[in-house]
Each structure stands twice: as structure tokens, then as C-alpha cells.
Amino acid sequence: MISRLKPPNVKVLSLTTVASPHRGSAFADYLMETIGSSNLTRIYAAMESFGLETEAFAQLTRNYMNNNFNPKTPDLEGVRYFSYGASLDPTFFSIFRPSHNIIKRLEGALNDGLVSVPSSKWGVYKGTLVGVSHLDLINWTNRVKWLFWSLTGKKRKFNGVAFYLDIADMLAKEGL
């Protein structure tokens, strides 16, 4: 929207991204290679029957982001860009353990189960959220885990609402 659509009467001052795959995801690469183009149509049809979007998979590959999207979507002068990454050391039962391991093997990088820290860096990098999964970032975490933690006296390590309020505070302090 900022550099390609450029809507009239809208002045964008900044963009802050959180664990966004600016350089693509090795997990998307893996899925596309594993599924193969011959099976892709059937899998997309099955996913769409459940109301799930499908176009993003191909558009999240490292090749697409680096050779198509990023060259066509340059940063706009006058806009300040900030980014955050996230890393996770998944437990044995974590839904992100397989994808985390694939990204670690293919990129050799810390990741949140879907996006590596190097891929999430854009503009001024504000830091890496440690022990946070890609779903934690949208406050959509396993409620069973939270229940177990509350029963054992452990507390949540990440509060998505507080994090995004901190981002708003940071932007206000930057005059944005």
C-alpha cells in the first residue's frame, strides 16, 4: 500500500512489522518443494473448501520475496521503517517444532516456527522477542498451555497486547 498503491489523501509516516517474512520463509520453500506443483491444485481446492486462503504459500517463498515482491515494492522516501523478529525453542509437543527445525536446517537461523529472524529484519531492527512463537505474536496461543501454566504457578512469558501497546508508545516517542 505504501509504495505501490499510494492512496491519495493518506500520509503514511511509518511501518512497523513483527516477524514478517521480508525475505521469505524457508518453510514456505520446503512446503512448495514437498507438495510439488502437480499436487498443489488439489491441496488448494481442499484448503479453500474449508475457507482457507492459498495464494500466500507461493508468495512467501524466498525466491518470490527476493526476486519479485521486494524489487517491485521499494521503501518510500519519508516513511520510517521498523521491524521486530521472534525466536522460539519449541518443546517436544509444540506444533511449531517440525517447521522450526526445517527453517533451522535450511537457513541456520533463529526463528519463531514460521519466519527466521534474518528474514524479519527491515528498516531499523528493534529486536528479537525470545521464546515467542508466530502465533504468540497475535495472542493466539494454546489455551491448554496457559491453563497448565496457571495450575503449575507459571506465568505467560509474552503478552501480545502489552507488546503492541509498547510499539504504539515507541512510535509516539519517535514523533510518529
Side-chain angles (χ1 to χ4, degrees):
M1 183 196 101
I2 295 171
S3 67
R4 290 173 76 178
L5 297 178
K6 300 178 186 173
N9 303 320
V10 174
K11 181 174 178 159
V12 177
L13 300 176
S14 70
L15 171 69
T16 302
T17 61
V18 181
S20 294
H22 294 287
R23 290 167 189 81
S25 172
F27 187 63
D29 294 347
Y30 174 83
L31 285 179
M32 295 305 291
E33 290 168 13
T34 303
I35 292 170
S37 58
S38 61
N39 295 317
L40 204 52
T41 306
R42 284 181 283 170
I43 291 171
Y44 279 0
M47 292 176 68
E48 288 169 356
S49 71
F50 289 104
L52 300 172
E53 291 287 330
T54 56
E55 293 179 16
F57 290 111
Q59 294 175 353
L60 293 175
T61 63
R62 292 180 289 177
N63 181 52
Y64 181 84
M65 290 301 294
N66 291 311
N67 297 316
N68 191 328
F69 183 83
N70 288 339
K72 292 179 182 176
T73 315
D75 288 354
L76 192 62
E77 189 174 328
V79 176
R80 305 227 0 236
Y81 294 83
F82 303 97
S83 61
Y84 293 84
S87 70
L88 175 68
D89 189 14
T91 63
F92 183 78
F93 296 107
S94 172
I95 190 169
F96 287 111
R97 188 169 184 214
S99 57
H100 177 276
N101 292 340
I102 288 166
I103 295 169
K104 184 116 176 147
R105 178 172 48 85
L106 295 176
E107 291 190 51
L110 295 173
N111 67 84
D112 65 3
L114 290 178
V115 178
S116 70
V117 169
S119 183
S120 66
K121 293 180 178 182
W122 199 265
V124 176
Y125 189 67
K126 300 300 276 184
T128 303
L129 303 164
V130 177
V132 179
S133 77
H134 204 73
L135 288 179
D136 290 333
L137 295 169
I138 58 171
N139 238 20
W140 193 26
T141 307
N142 185 338
R143 306 252 182 241
V144 174
K145 178 173 74 174
W146 289 350
L147 175 62
F148 177 75
W149 284 355
S150 67
L151 294 174
T152 60
K154 291 185 179 181
K155 294 186 179 188
R156 291 185 199 179
K157 297 176 185 175
F158 178 75
N159 180 330
V161 173
F163 171 68
Y164 289 102
L165 288 172
D166 286 344
I167 289 176
D169 186 55
M170 177 271 298
L171 292 171
K173 288 176 181 173
E174 293 279 342
L176 302 170

